[in-house]
Amino acid sequence: MTEPERYVVTHTIAAAPGAVFAVLSDPARHKDTEPGDWVRDAIDPQPITGTGQIFAINMFLPQAGGHYVMHNLVSEFDKNRTIAWIPGQLDEAGKHNPGGWWWRYDLAPNGENTDVTLTYDWTGTPQSFRDQVGMPPFDKEFLAESLAALDRSVK
């Protein structure tokens, strides 16, 4: 068994867990949590309410062919504590086909603040996709910048 391929970064945000979680559970706000222009608008801006839900986001990445849609399957949902999703694509039957990577946010109260730990894991990404896009497609600093963007969006 190989070691997990992942980045884990923690950042303290001067807001209560509920305020942070409100941004993370709103697909329309996800573009506000990314430091660049990769994440675009939500196709269906309905809030995330539980595991098993799929939310779709318009994306842009040159090495992935430009514009595309990412369908994210919510894999963990514990209101104001944890939210995670597995990006992938839907086949013609509407079945979610995971890409092999996942995102997870863990929120922990810290006085009047919230410690947010962001995990990005690409352990299950197929070699063919790794060859096409390069995995991970960013460095660990991208996660720190993403958490800083989340911090700005909560205020």
Side-chain angles (χ1 to χ4, degrees), residues 30 38-39 53-57 59 61 68-76 83-91 95-105 118-126 129 135 137-138:
H30 281 205
W38 189 356
V39 177
Q53 185 175 348
I54 293 177
F55 64 97
I57 303 283
M59 308 282 289
L61 186 65
Y68 62 99
V69 174
M70 187 60 69
H71 295 87
N72 301 289
L73 173 65
V74 179
S75 57
E76 295 184 54
I83 189 167
W85 55 86
I86 304 165
Q89 300 297 314
L90 296 183
D91 64 17
K95 180 181 178 237
H96 184 263
N97 294 298
W101 61 95
W102 50 264
W103 296 90
R104 178 184 168 120
Y105 292 82
L118 172 55
T119 303
Y120 175 76
D121 186 299
W122 65 95
T123 306
T125 305
F129 191 80
M135 289 303 282
F138 43 76

Side-chain angles (χ1 to χ4, degrees):
M1 184 168 173
T2 61
E3 288 292 314
E5 297 173 294
R6 69 176 54 144
Y7 294 144
V8 180
V9 176
T10 301
H11 179 84
T12 301
I13 295 178
V20 177
F21 198 86
V23 173
L24 295 173
S25 61
D26 182 352
R29 303 281 315 270
H30 281 205
K31 67 181 183 285
D32 301 332
T33 69
E34 195 253 319
D37 194 25
W38 189 356
V39 177
R40 302 290 173 95
D41 59 314
I43 291 173
D44 180 357
Q46 295 300 314
I48 299 167
T49 57
T51 59
Q53 185 175 348
I54 293 177
F55 64 97
I57 303 283
N58 286 309
M59 308 282 289
F60 181 83
L61 186 65
Q63 59 264 48
H67 295 277
Y68 62 99
V69 174
M70 187 60 69
H71 295 87
N72 301 289
L73 173 65
V74 179
S75 57
E76 295 184 54
F77 186 94
D78 184 1
K79 189 172 182 176
N80 299 336
R81 298 188 55 84
T82 301
I83 189 167
W85 55 86
I86 304 165
Q89 300 297 314
L90 296 183
D91 64 17
E92 292 179 9
K95 180 181 178 237
H96 184 263
N97 294 298
W101 61 95
W102 50 264
W103 296 90
R104 178 184 168 120
Y105 292 82
D106 290 292
L107 286 58
N110 180 356
E112 295 182 6
N113 303 317
T114 303
D115 292 335
V116 181
T117 299
L118 172 55
T119 303
Y120 175 76
D121 186 299
W122 65 95
T123 306
T125 305
Q127 190 60 49
S128 59
F129 191 80
R130 291 171 186 254
D131 293 344
Q132 176 189 356
V133 174
M135 289 303 282
F138 43 76
D139 60 18
K140 191 173 184 177
E141 183 59 28
F142 182 88
L143 268 67
E145 293 170 4
S146 179
L147 288 173
L150 172 62
D151 191 350
R152 290 188 298 274
S153 72
V154 171
K155 298 183 170 50

